[in-house]
Amino acid sequence: MLPPGPSQLALLQTLRIITQPVSFLLSCADRYGDWFTLRVLGPQSPPVVFVSDPEAILAIFSSLADQLELGRIADVFRPLVGNESLIMQNGDRHRQQRQLLMPALQGERLFDYTPAMTAITQAAIAQWPLGQPLDLRRQMSQISLAVILQVVFGLTPGPRYRDLYQRLDQLLEAITDPLYSLQFFWPALQQDWGNWSPWGRFCRQREAIDALITAEIQEGRQSQQPRQDVLELLLAARDRDGNPLSDQELRDQLMTLLLLGHETTASALTWAVFWLLRHPDCLNRLQSELVAIGDNDRAIAKAPYLDAVCREALRLQPIALIAQPRRVASPLSLGGYDFASGTILVPCVLTAHRRAATYPNPDQFQPNRFLERRFSNGEFLPFGGGQRSCIGMALSLIEMKMVLATLLRQCQIAEVSQRPVRPARRGITFVPSQDFRIQVQQWHNPSAQTAIASV
Ligand code: HEM
């Protein structure tokens, strides 16, 4: 027997998960607990089992991995990231590509990137007008795009950087529009009928972006200068036969990191600032910690309360509501249930993060909980888990810390009005709804401010 679930028609359940995913999943967890079965894949939907039980999630990520198949939900990104992208690979090739990319995205290497993260944030904030309402989500999105272009693509500010920045910004904003993004889900709409057709416009935008990225790759191949970016490591990488990556492979991996690393980090940062502004006690504590640390990237990366704030923001409003669904390949027993082949199991990040048994007062923002105990990957999974877990976890956490530390040291901000804010879908992420606006109330160091703004 399958876990319990609503008896509504599959079509209605599908509509609910599309239109109100957060409230629908939370209400099911309230009613049915750690396991519930939904029919959310259209009118003929097979059962889809959502799991919040930490032990079961850990088993799905690790010990049961061989009995589960990962779905092909990444296909929707293919027109953007290309056939050679990491997210389009399976099995051995996927493992090899992860091994190739990982060294550039973790460990000591991250400290090569932190000065750029701080400088980009300082320069962006210096442009914020005093006392004027600002869409923080948009600001964070521009900061994180600049970070990816500089630390991943290795671009330095100049004409190519500006051109690529503007084209990518336009494209990435456009694909979060529900109508525009429909064409990615519906291949029949992917018809290039020239510039006046939506797909035609997308193809022209992509061609222009590809030409700029290819020029950067070719310049990187010829350059003798040491660089400190992800592209440098990819240019030096060799496969088992000693061959370098082709231009197409390099382009596809860069686009993948851009697509998955940009809006995700920006959304997480927006939520972190949102919760801090709604909890002045937490904001004060964080500010005191940052003052005590001073201007030291390594100390910022390790600061306990800052780390707890970032994790609590990722817990309370995870950017991805679920990790990748898995299809049962051979019958298995889990959590007291027997699952037949073909059943779909979904580790549910949102509901696992709101389990009262794991997180007392789960709906409250309480960074302290991350100082008091460690949580397993079955309890805390904003970056998913297992073979396809996020490869940008360390990079995004350090970016969140550098941006937050810079922002809070540079100025005092406040929310424009404390209207109710709900999570709103934006492309592949969830962000605070439009009503969230901030304003700069005061510069902490006005003379430094003028200097940064005039750089
Ligand atoms: C706060 C920021 C981020 C969040 C919340 C996040 C979340 C996730 C999640 C939930 C997954 C799917 C994991 C699974 O199904 O088990 C994922 C995959 C992935 N993420 Fe992130 N991510 C973030 C930032 C980044 C960054 C900065 C990059 C790269 C620069 C990145 C690159 C990727 C890639 C390439 C994958 C696919 C991995 C694979 O298929 O093997 N992410 N991310």
Side-chain angles (χ1 to χ4, degrees), residues 124-130 134 136 139 143 407 411 413 438 440 443:
I125 294 174
Q127 306 298 326
W128 293 359
L130 196 68
L134 276 168
L136 185 72
Q139 299 298 321
I143 290 175
L407 169 61
C411 57
I413 51 170
I438 62 143
V440 176
W443 300 114

Side-chain angles (χ1 to χ4, degrees), residues 34 52-54 315 350-360 362 378-379:
D34 281 345
S52 330
D53 173 55
R315 176 195 73 82
L350 176 74
T351 52
H353 284 187
R354 299 282 186 101
R355 268 182 109 234
T358 315
Y359 301 103
E379 295 169 318

Side-chain angles (χ1 to χ4, degrees), residues 27-48:
S27 67
C28 289
D30 262 359
R31 177 147 182 215
Y32 304 109
D34 281 345
W35 294 84
F36 53 89
T37 305
L38 301 180
R39 293 176 189 268
V40 284
L41 299 175
Q44 308 300 328
S45 175
V48 183

Side-chain angles (χ1 to χ4, degrees), residues 361-381:
N361 303 316
D363 299 332
Q364 290 178 17
F365 181 72
Q366 294 181 348
N368 258 352
R369 58 176 105 240
F370 282 91
L371 299 176
E372 286 157 7
R373 65 162 280 215
R374 287 178 74 83
F375 296 94
S376 75
N377 192 201
E379 295 169 318
F380 182 64
L381 53 148

